Amino acid sequence: MTNMDIGINKADRETIAESLKHLLADTYTLYLQTHNFHWNVTGPQFRELHLMFEEHYTELAVAVDDIAERIRTLDVAAPGTYKEFVRLSNIKEVEGVPAAKEMVDILTQSHETVVRTCRDVLKHAQGADDESTAALASDRMRVHEKTAWMLRVINK
C-alpha cells in the first residue's frame, strides 16, 4: 500500500477491502455458475432460462470489474485467480449438470449468499464512513435480492 489520505484510515481500508474480496469471489463464482447453466440448461424452459441466465451473467461481469476496482481504489490488491476465489467464496462449485429446476434453486441460493456477503461489506463500510463502498454494496444487494426473488417464483 502507498501512503494515501481519502479520509479512511489504513486499517479500515484493509478491513473493507478484505470484505470486498469475499464479495468479488462470490460474484465471480456466481458469474461462472450462471454461465455454466446458460450453456447447459435443457428442458421445456430452455429458451426462457437460457436468455435469463445470459442477462444475469452479463450483469455479473460488469459487477466483478466494479468490485475489483473498488478494492484497488482502497489501495489493496484485488484477488484474481481461481485458487483465491475458491478460498474466499461462500458459494461452492456445482458438480455435473443439474436439471433446470435444480439450476434455478442453486442460483437462488447463490444470490441469497451474495446478499449476505453484501450485508457484511455494508457493515464494515458504514463503520468507517466509506460511502462509496456502502453504495456499491447496497446497489449489489438490491440486484441480488431482486434476482433471487425472480428465480424463486420460477419454481413455485
Side-chain angles (χ1 to χ4, degrees):
M1 282 195 188
T2 58
N3 200 7
M4 65 183 290
D5 183 7
I6 59 171
I8 304 168
N9 68 52
K10 181 178 177 181
D12 284 342
R13 286 195 324 268
E14 289 172 348
T15 299
I16 293 164
E18 190 61 34
S19 67
L20 282 167
K21 288 178 184 182
H22 289 277
L23 180 57
L24 177 61
D26 283 355
T27 304
Y28 195 83
T29 304
L30 179 56
Y31 165 83
L32 288 174
Q33 191 176 73
T34 306
H35 215 149
N36 175 25
F37 292 170
H38 164 79
W39 291 326
N40 291 299
V41 68
T42 59
Q45 291 181 297
F46 167 78
R47 182 164 173 71
E48 174 190 356
L49 293 176
H50 183 75
L51 294 173
M52 183 178 61
F53 295 163
E54 182 174 9
E55 289 173 13
H56 292 177
Y57 77 70
T58 300
E59 191 279 331
L60 288 163
V62 174
V64 164
D65 197 53
D66 290 343
I67 297 163
E69 288 179 356
R70 183 62 195 159
I71 294 168
R72 293 300 300 135
T73 301
L74 296 171
D75 203 29
V76 175
T81 66
Y82 292 127
K83 184 177 181 179
E84 288 177 290
F85 289 150
V86 167
R87 181 180 63 80
L88 292 165
S89 183
N90 298 301
I91 298 171
K92 300 304 172 210
E93 286 190 85
V94 175
E95 297 284 329
V97 179
K101 183 177 179 2
E102 189 179 354
M103 287 178 177
V104 171
D105 289 341
I106 291 166
L107 289 173
T108 301
Q109 292 167 14
S110 294
H111 280 278
E112 290 172 348
T113 297
V114 178
V115 170
R116 292 189 300 273
T117 303
C118 287
R119 291 188 190 287
D120 184 61
V121 172
L122 192 57
K123 177 181 67 176
H124 292 294
Q126 288 173 332
D129 292 326
D130 180 355
E131 292 302 320
S132 296
T133 300
L136 174 66
S138 180
D139 290 346
R140 295 305 317 149
M141 191 178 341
R142 188 171 30 258
V143 168
H144 293 287
E145 287 174 338
K146 184 175 182 178
T147 303
W149 160 62
M150 291 181 161
L151 289 165
R152 271 192 304 276
V153 298
I154 290 172
N155 280 343
K156 278 196 169 188

